[in-house]
Amino acid sequence: MRASAILVVAALAAQSSVRDGKTSTGIAYDVQGQGPVVVLVTGSNLDRRMWVREAAWLAKDHTVVRYDLRAHGRSDGATARFSNLGDLYAVLDALEISKATLIGLSAGSTIALDAALDAPARVDRIVVAGPAISGYVPSVRPAFVGDLMAALQARDYKRAGEVLLATSVFAVQEDSQAIVRQMVMENDRLWSVPRDLLQPSTPAVDRLERVAVPTLILIGTNDVSQREQADVLAKRVPGARLVVVPGGGHLLNITSPAAFESAVREFLR
């Protein structure tokens, strides 16, 4: 069965059991399944639709929470100061969740890692895919950054989306390209959020040795831009396990769903 068809089937199967909600601060979320809690944290420019497949198989023996980052998906925009960690905690509080496993990709991995350092009592373990470490300065600047910044300075958000979609960061197999494009283009309002409203977390880069929860690092061989940070995490986070997925891209759960599921299932045992 093609990957796009699997996404549709999984979505239909889970639809009747999904409970939707929104925090008092405007963060939209949904919950399904029963068991130990797993929170799926999306990447930037994406939304919880990226986790349809994972939510379906995790919900068989876990309580699965998905949520949209601020100014993404069905979450509200920003009219006052906010933080990504504060939004995550607001979801946990709204659902009266004291502790959860966090699975994050890209920007979602940054949030998961920051939460493990900021509130370890609330984090059972973390999975970071295509990881990005807050405060880390890569040795090589991605080639597309200049074009992206030019589009953003011109407030041409459609062009910014096209720039991103043309990069290896959002490269996926043909049958998943439509949903990835839809997410990227529909979430362009994130660019209009004033940067000074976002409260940054304390950089994780100087505190990696203090991560005290079990950590799984996932990286695809085609995710060249994030391999450097994956290796840093593997070297500095105590007891961290690194899994390299052959042929995997940055959107690893989409490009390599079977390998992603296998690695996460084993880690959650």
Side-chain angles (χ1 to χ4, degrees), residues 102-216:
L102 306 179
I103 300 178
L105 183 142
S106 193
S109 74
T110 306
I111 296 169
L113 182 60
D114 287 346
L117 286 164
D118 181 71
R122 304 198 71 172
V123 180
D124 185 45
R125 59 187 64 201
I126 60 173
V127 177
V128 291
I133 307 166
S134 58
Y136 188 86
V137 180
S139 60
V140 178
R141 176 181 172 177
F144 66 85
V145 170
D147 289 340
L148 177 61
M149 294 306 298
L152 294 178
Q153 288 170 0
R155 296 187 178 181
D156 188 346
Y157 301 146
K158 180 178 180 181
R159 173 59 183 161
E162 295 292 354
V163 169
L164 289 176
L165 288 166
T167 71
S168 62
V169 174
F170 289 92
V172 294
Q173 59 271 34
E174 185 178 355
D175 56 11
S176 294
Q177 288 173 3
I179 186 60
V180 170
R181 164 172 283 276
Q182 188 175 8
M183 286 190 285
V184 170
M185 301 308 283
E186 289 181 357
N187 286 304
D188 63 354
R189 65 191 175 105
L190 76 96
W191 302 122
S192 63
V193 174
R195 295 298 94 185
D196 59 356
L197 292 184
L198 175 61
Q199 293 178 287
S201 61
T202 302
V205 66
D206 299 321
R207 304 181 292 151
L208 297 179
E209 287 77 9
R210 301 181 201 171
V211 176
V213 303
T215 301
L216 173 64

Side-chain angles (χ1 to χ4, degrees), residues 36-49:
V37 181
V38 174
V39 179
L40 301 173
V41 193
T42 75
S44 180
N45 300 86
L46 303 169
D47 56 57
R48 55 192 143 139
R49 286 175 289 181

